[in-house]
Amino acid sequence: MSDSSRDTAAGAGWGDSERGDYRLLMPQRVEKLSWLDPRTLWPARNGVLASWFGDPTGRTRARWAEQRAAAGAPADRVIRRDDPDHFSFMVIGDTGEGDDAQYAVVPGFLKVGQDTSFAILASDVVYPVGSADEYGTKFHRPYRDYQAPVYAIPGNHDWYEDLQGFMRVFCDAPPLAPQPAPRPLTRAWLRALLWHRPRPVDEQRLAAAQELRSAPAQQAVQPGPYWAIDAGPVRIVGIDTGLLGTLDAEQGRWLREVSRADVPKILVTGSPLYVDGEHHPCAIEGGGTVDDIVRDPAHRYVAAIGGDIHNYQRYPVAVDGRTVQYVVAGGGGAFMHATHTIPRVSVAGVGEDDFRCYPLRGDSLAFYSRLYGRRLRMPRFFTLGEAEATAVIAERLGVAPTRSQAAPARVTRRVRLVAGLLGAGRRPGRRAWLRLPVRKTYTQLFSPGSATYSPPFFKSFLRLDVSPDSVRLRCFSATGNRAQELDPPVEDEVIIPLR
């Protein structure tokens, strides 16, 4: 087994490494996606409008549900498979930017997943707005050689065109009929006036894309944007958290109902419940939270896996005498969200010794120091070596370095200053001072899109091996380098008991 980032810097992808063959999978022309471009941001405005004028996704979701029920979808939204008691499946989240970083994941994903029964895409299948016309290069082409069904839950970006592309591809659903115009001069009217509406689907283009995944073994039609899968000894429950990371009352009622089945369960959600050292329980309209349902021992949840944040994190939380593994799995292709901004972890009884993340915080800081150095044209000041970044993270958090160094790096005043400016996490109680905009804000401000960076990409995906007694969850990395393509490193592994 090859070295991981926890073993060596080369295992993380640093150094003079040969670039992988993933570019052979890419189309000749790749559209560069920039989150600084107004042409990208303006069509993605619906999330802001929903927060200002009220979120319409619950009503839109109900209309999709009515349409699918009329077409014969099962009323309980349960997909009943005939998998044996021992089977495996893949999880990959936040995939669809269609650039080098997405395609760099594919060789390792195919190698690790070649004998798996199905895959689940956890959030944000297609950026920036989930358009059906972009599924060809951002879904069908990259996963054309994965010879098993792919199920999906939508993220907020898939909702920016009212879920039209997602429902067409994964549920074989025609567009919804137009709705009557809202009453003038109301909040709903103002929202509708500014709302980004779905573009007409290019049927010829979509049909050509679907040919790329047309083998019988690849086919699956799911009952809607939220569903449950009965597979072997487990039930996998996928929920749709819409534009604002919440559940409507009807989906909440359904979630409580499907959670009563007396089998072990794994939740897959578009909004992680623990992330960046914080608890986000996910509100349900009318009262309660998703995490209330997960924590209820009668429901037998053993793990909750969420996308949306573009890295890997794991929090083993003790709940009523058992451990629930809360996982962030959004490293499937979109720009990398920083992990170095995560403070020293102390949440729900989980500390630094139990917490896992990928990329390692030091690698994240080194990555973003290079990015800021290029963008601000100050590479000599901002750029940190991976050893320097690892050392300063250990100093700021008060922990031992995650990856041992042949010779400890010297932490200079410049290194400390850069780490502070880039928002590196600290120990609880230590005051932060002047810093650049941090966490999700600054990673979007200077997001490392396809036009601006090269390996290592620090992408990741999961494989889960299920047996009657346990689930073995492994996080594999994809750097864009050939060494990790040929033998994808295991960055994290945990055995989850089912009994």
Side-chain angles (χ1 to χ4, degrees), residues 314-355:
R314 181 171 63 84
Y315 302 81
V317 177
V319 180
D320 295 325
R322 73 192 199 280
T323 299
V324 178
Q325 299 290 341
Y326 290 88
V327 175
V328 178
F335 71 87
M336 185 261 282
H337 280 136
T339 58
H340 68 267
T341 58
I342 302 172
R344 180 165 174 157
V345 170
S346 179
V347 59
V350 178
E352 275 294 317
D353 290 343
D354 307 309
F355 169 70

Side-chain angles (χ1 to χ4, degrees), residues 330-392:
F335 71 87
M336 185 261 282
H337 280 136
T339 58
H340 68 267
T341 58
I342 302 172
R344 180 165 174 157
V345 170
S346 179
V347 59
V350 178
E352 275 294 317
D353 290 343
D354 307 309
F355 169 70
R356 293 291 183 271
C357 69
Y358 177 80
L360 300 179
R361 291 179 176 102
D363 291 330
S364 170
L365 178 59
F367 178 96
Y368 269 97
S369 74
R370 286 161 168 74
L371 176 66
Y372 265 78
R374 287 194 299 269
R375 287 290 180 87
L376 299 179
R377 298 184 180 181
M378 300 172 65
R380 294 185 63 183
F381 171 71
F382 269 103
T383 301
L384 302 181
E386 56 83 18
E388 291 175 314
T390 296
V392 74

Side-chain angles (χ1 to χ4, degrees), residues 422-492:
L422 295 184
R426 303 180 69 92
R427 284 172 276 180
R430 295 287 296 273
R431 290 185 60 188
W433 48 282
L434 175 65
R435 62 175 67 179
L436 293 174
V438 297
R439 300 208 181 198
K440 205 168 178 180
T441 303
Y442 91 77
T443 58
Q444 288 175 339
L445 177 64
F446 282 142
S447 63
S450 59
T452 61
Y453 78 133
S454 56
F457 295 128
F458 297 111
K459 300 291 95 186
S460 57
F461 56 90
L462 308 183
R463 174 177 169 130
L464 290 87
D465 302 305
V466 180
S467 74
D469 298 316
S470 65
V471 175
R472 180 192 188 195
L473 183 153
R474 285 176 290 171
C475 171
F476 292 85
S477 63
T479 66
N481 291 331
R482 182 169 174 78
Q484 286 82 35
E485 275 189 1
L486 295 175
D487 190 7
V490 177
E491 294 292 338
D492 187 33

Side-chain angles (χ1 to χ4, degrees), residues 58-117:
R59 290 188 296 275
T60 305
R61 191 183 292 115
R63 294 177 63 212
W64 283 118
E66 291 173 5
Q67 185 205 77
R68 293 295 81 215
D76 60 4
R77 300 181 176 85
V78 177
I79 302 164
R80 293 173 173 85
R81 295 178 51 88
D82 59 357
D83 298 292
D85 284 346
H86 294 77
F87 77 98
S88 303
F89 68 99
M90 307 292 285
V91 177
I92 185 169
D94 298 83
T95 53
E97 286 194 357
D99 57 10
D100 282 60
Q102 178 178 6
Y103 279 86
V105 180
V106 174
F109 178 86
L110 294 176
K111 186 179 183 68
V112 172
Q114 60 186 336
D115 61 342
T116 53
S117 298

